[in-house]
Amino acid sequence: MSYRLGVDVGGTFTDLLLLEEESGRFWRHKTPSTPADSSVGILDGVAAVCAKANVTPADVEVFLHGTTVATNAMLEGKGARVGLIVTQGYRQVMQIARSFVPGGLAGWIIWPKPEPLAALIDTLEVAGRMDAHGRELRPIDDDGIRAALAQLRDQGVEAITVSLINAYLNGAHEKRVGELAAEVCPDLPVSLSHEVLPEMQEYERTLTTVANAAVRPIVGNYVRNLRTKLRSAGMAGKLALLRSDGGLMSSEKAEAHPVSLLMSGPAGGVTGALWVGKNSGLRNILTLDVGGTSTDVALIENLEPRRARTTEVGHLSVRASSLDVKTVGAGGGSIAYVPELTRALRVGPQSAGAVPGPVAYGKGGTQPTVTDANVVLGYLPESLLGGTFKLDRNGAKAAVQTIADALGIGLMEAARGIIDIVNENMFGALRMISVQQGYDPRDFALMGFGGAGPLHVNSVARLMGSWPAVSPVSPGVLCALGDATTRMRTETARSFSRRFADTDEAEVMTILDEMATQTRDELKADGIADGDITSLFEIDVRYEGQAFEVPLSIDAETIRRDGLAGITSRFDIEHKRLFTFNMTSPHELVNLRAVALGIALDLPAATLPVGDGDPAQAKLRDHQLWMDGGTHAAVIYDRALLEQGDVIPGPAIVVEMDSTTLIERDCIGTVDAVGNILITLA
């Protein structure tokens, strides 16, 4: 038997999902996260989930892991101190940056400009220069480089970045600086820009490489520490981490290239939703991943998630592929309050987190949260997690009553107001990835997961017009399932700035073939057989004179069949969808990228026994809940006892180990063959 273990570390819980590959059986476990050293929580969970399945950690062949270590280091400003080496005349590249100020017209008056990731005092210039065609204009000076490296070492930097002008065309000078760095400061990790991002635009290339260097010591320590602890617990299998773009990379590669992990956490949910979509016949999906602190949303069209060429973390925008995920500060732990000034109810983005948590958890929380409002309304029954977890409904009522008093309304109206506002926040994020990108949300199903997703998915689907609302199997640990079922991925890029009219098709194909070979070799080095590797290409195109480009994904056969003309017509269609118009200017080819993918795990979902359409065997008890301005009779069901084809009339609540699903009035939930609950309007 071969086992895969998916582990997703969130702010509140660490989720684990152990998968037996041949049969598709899985065991799941949730354990509290340990923010001080998340490997402690992971190892607790590994021991518990292996015990459930009656296996030892030695039986686990692949350990797959989505992590927010790199993200949090960036958000909290805890990256390493980076020394930056640049070409003469470019010392202020990080300070000049791009002339973009977020916010309104007068945003610059009140916008505190963020501190660059590499300080000016730690940025040094060296002689030497490549021209715009990658030819050497001026030679480099080894003694000058040695002196600069020694100065940075003595100033106490913890990582070194080398970003020289035009290095994306010819990295020889950067390589030499790297060789000398290995002599002068052998203990410091060195990131070279032509290896991290071989693309034009020196600010983006420098920023991405500096970000890579800033998180490298932290991610390196984390990965080595985790690997050591897993090895000592007897796990000899491979350790892989989830990349921002939804693929996997080996832990060794992650140590050298951690900038690819900045959106590792949210990517797990999207890959999990893809697995559910494949097994249940849903091809167009909007995802709603509601955790304790935040909600992540993404769009999947025809079982392909949208990818973005930039990863945004806080105010930082680095050039690394990621799934196009938007995050809002709205989750189960979001705190409700009424500001003195406006006397209008607000919810979030502040969160009660795991400690002290919502009042209903009885861990010392005092401020009313979204979870408390759900408890007051009766949407979250008092006993959770199979009865092991009792909720304090009276405490939740007392907390929400403070909101009701401040607004001068009834308790239930106040609780429902909190839920309505948090749903509107989620609705706003979903509009950003659908309507604002030219998609009609009515063409998509809405899938709610994470601990609180299935509680809100029915209401949000109503706002979006996206039906069915889907509560997938194991919604609470779907991110861990995504980690366990995704495949290895690597990519490389090259700038190629030229008009299509002046471009030789054969030359483009030669470059793409070279890049495909390079990425395939990387995966082969990670132990993947050549026959299991698929190559894809991405080509960035724009109209001449534009300052931004549109990335197009394409496979080798399509390029060979349709040629460059096929790419320009694809670009015109996509440009029209995004911006509602086309231009008559010539097309320009900007960047080429090659992607290599390992084999996808073809994991079937277990089918449920066929029922007679009546969910009576799963009924736990009758219940009362508050909805649409009054109290209504409802029924609570146990999800583990539902059968294929069962039809659940709303209002109803379906409980399980890691989540709770709410089916509203005038809606019905239908259980599909693999156990997903599909909610539609009655």
Side-chain angles (χ1 to χ4, degrees):
M1 296 285 187
S2 54
Y3 293 89
R4 293 164 78 98
L5 178 61
V7 179
D8 178 68
V9 179
T12 316
F13 285 106
T14 294
D15 301 327
L16 298 99
L17 189 125
L18 180 69
L19 197 65
E20 201 271 285
E21 282 185 42
E22 283 75 24
S23 68
R25 284 182 70 199
F26 59 79
W27 297 264
R28 54 199 179 166
H29 185 72
K30 274 178 114 69
T31 183
S33 293
T34 47
D37 177 2
S38 47
S39 64
V40 175
I42 292 174
L43 282 153
D44 290 347
V46 168
V49 81
C50 285
K52 276 185 188 176
N54 219 355
V55 298
T56 66
D59 297 321
V60 176
E61 282 186 13
V62 200
F63 178 96
L64 308 126
H65 179 31
T67 173
T68 52
V69 171
T71 327
N72 294 345
M74 279 292 151
L75 288 173
E76 295 165 18
K78 290 182 181 163
R81 180 175 173 185
V82 180
L84 174 60
I85 289 186
V86 295
T87 304
Q88 268 175 350
Y90 285 84
R91 187 164 169 240
Q92 279 85 5
V93 63
M94 293 291 283
Q95 280 68 26
I96 294 169
R98 288 267 172 234
S99 58
F100 169 72
V101 176
L105 260 179
W108 54 274
I109 299 174
I110 52 165
W111 182 56
K113 190 174 174 183
E115 280 296 310
L117 285 175
L120 199 56
I121 192 171
D122 294 329
T123 307
L124 300 179
E125 298 179 348
V126 294
R129 172 99 189 212
M130 293 286 178
D131 72 5
H133 301 284
R135 296 185 294 253
E136 185 175 82
L137 264 182
R138 288 195 291 279
I140 48 175
D141 160 30
D142 281 9
D143 293 337
I145 293 168
R146 280 196 180 91
L149 287 164
Q151 185 182 333
L152 289 176
R153 179 196 62 203
D154 298 342
Q155 280 172 210
V157 303
E158 298 159 299
I160 286 179
T161 295
V162 185
S163 183
L164 305 179
I165 196 74
N166 295 326
Y168 70 93
L169 291 161
N170 180 347
H173 286 177
E174 285 193 351
K175 271 206 183 85
R176 181 63 187 145
V177 179
E179 287 164 9
L180 294 170
E183 289 173 25
V184 178
C185 32
D187 301 333
L188 298 182
V190 179
S191 298
L192 307 178
S193 79
H194 76 278
E195 290 176 359
V196 173
L197 185 73
E199 290 183 18
M200 61 185 195
Q201 297 182 313
E202 64 272 12
Y203 171 65
E204 281 75 8
R205 179 162 47 90
T206 305
L207 175 65
T208 303
T209 315
V210 168
N212 192 64
V215 294
R216 211 168 145 177
I218 289 171
V219 172
N221 287 340
Y222 173 76
V223 170
R224 282 189 297 275
N225 175 30
L226 182 59
R227 205 167 34 216
T228 310
K229 287 190 173 175
L230 288 170
R231 294 281 179 265
S232 59
M235 192 179 288
K238 273 204 305 218
L239 172 60
L241 286 112
L242 191 68
R243 296 160 50 101
S244 306
D245 57 21
L248 289 169
M249 67 201 298
S250 67
S251 61
E252 290 76 14
K253 182 103 189 281
E255 286 180 59
H257 211 285
V259 77
S260 299
L261 298 176
L262 286 173
M263 289 298 273
S264 169
V270 182
T271 52
L274 277 172
W275 179 79
V276 174
K278 280 194 189 92
N279 282 304
S280 57
L282 297 166
R283 301 189 67 80
N284 291 349
I285 303 167
L286 293 166
T287 69
L288 181 72
D289 178 359
V290 187
T293 306
S294 59
T295 294
D296 301 318
V297 300
L299 181 141
I300 297 169
E301 183 185 29
N302 212 5
L303 289 179
E304 264 302 309
R306 265 186 74 91
R307 288 191 171 82
R309 272 301 293 137
T310 51
T311 303
E312 315 235 345
V313 178
H315 61 78
L316 194 72
S317 176
V318 297
R319 188 73 70 79
S321 282
S322 68
L323 296 177
D324 189 8
V325 175
K326 295 278 181 284
T327 302
V328 284
S334 294
I335 293 168
Y337 60 102
V338 179
E340 279 292 319
L341 196 63
T342 57
R343 314 298 295 157
L345 176 61
R346 303 284 298 273
V347 182
Q350 304 82 356
S351 169
V355 184
V359 180
Y361 285 9
K363 288 189 183 171
T366 54
Q367 294 173 289
T369 66
V370 171
T371 297
D372 296 316
N374 276 315
V375 171
V376 168
L377 292 162
Y379 304 165
L380 256 186
E382 277 93 310
S383 64
L384 274 181
L385 293 173
T388 54
F389 199 66
K390 282 272 186 277
L391 293 173
D392 174 9
R393 188 159 187 218
N394 291 332
K397 278 184 170 174
V400 176
Q401 188 66 50
T402 62
I403 300 290
D405 295 345
L407 294 170
I409 57 176
L411 172 69
M412 291 300 177
E413 285 82 2
R416 186 64 217 190
I418 293 171
I419 301 301
D420 288 341
I421 287 178
V422 84
N423 288 342
E424 285 288 343
N425 289 344
M426 296 171 191
F427 175 48
L430 282 161
R431 281 182 64 86
M432 282 167 72
I433 53 144
S434 56
V435 180
Q436 287 188 20
Q437 307 268 18
Y439 293 99
D440 185 339
R442 291 170 298 191
D443 298 337
F444 291 77
L446 181 67
M447 188 180 295
F449 50 93
L455 266 178
H456 295 269
V457 70
N458 197 163
S459 291
V460 180
R462 206 185 282 270
L463 292 170
M464 295 289 293
S466 302
W467 301 101
V470 185
S471 169
V473 178
S474 304
V477 295
L478 194 74
C479 291
L481 180 74
D483 296 342
T485 55
T486 186
R487 52 186 179 165
M488 299 293 276
R489 179 184 168 102
T490 185
E491 63 174 52
T492 185
R494 197 175 297 182
S495 282
F496 186 93
S497 190
R498 212 178 293 170
R499 280 186 190 181
F500 273 78
D502 308 332
T503 301
D504 174 24
E505 206 162 292
E507 184 189 357
V508 174
M509 288 311 301
T510 306
I511 294 173
L512 289 174
D513 287 340
E514 278 173 24
M515 289 162 66
T517 306
Q518 180 194 330
T519 51
R520 293 177 82 90
D521 289 346
E522 281 183 34
L523 287 191
K524 282 194 262 184
D526 282 335
I528 295 176
D530 190 52
D532 290 341
I533 300 174
T534 313
S535 286
L536 293 175
F537 301 108
E538 283 182 5
I539 296 177
D540 292 348
V541 185
R542 65 185 179 194
Y543 291 119
E544 193 175 34
Q546 280 184 322
F548 57 89
E549 50 276 345
V550 174
L552 301 171
S553 293
I554 203 156
D555 57 48
E557 279 93 73
T558 311
I559 291 190
R560 290 200 169 88
R561 187 185 68 231
D562 302 344
L564 295 180
I567 295 170
T568 54
S569 62
R570 276 256 323 262
F571 168 77
D572 286 338
I573 294 166
E574 182 69 358
H575 194 279
K576 182 142 198 183
R577 192 183 64 72
L578 283 168
F579 308 111
T580 70
F581 69 93
N582 287 133
M583 290 164 66
T584 53
S585 328
H587 296 85
E588 198 172 33
L589 202 158
V590 186
N591 297 310
L592 303 171
R593 270 185 303 284
V595 179
L597 296 162
I599 198 161
L601 176 67
D602 188 18
L603 176 77
T607 52
L608 297 191
V610 180
D612 57 2
D614 180 359
Q617 78 287 346
K619 178 174 173 176
L620 287 176
R621 62 178 188 273
D622 289 314
H623 183 65
Q624 299 270 308
L625 50 74
W626 200 90
M627 192 174 279
D628 299 337
T631 304
H632 298 276
V635 181
I636 299 179
Y637 296 96
D638 180 350
R639 186 157 191 174
L641 301 176
L642 288 172
E643 294 172 341
Q644 190 183 143
D646 280 353
V647 177
I648 306 165
I653 291 167
V654 183
V655 293
E656 59 190 302
M657 192 262 312
D658 56 359
S659 192
T660 303
T661 305
L662 173 68
I663 301 169
E664 296 189 343
R665 286 179 74 217
D666 73 24
C667 290
I668 51 169
T670 309
V671 182
D672 75 1
V674 291
N676 301 303
I677 300 173
L678 309 179
I679 303 168
T680 50
L681 289 166

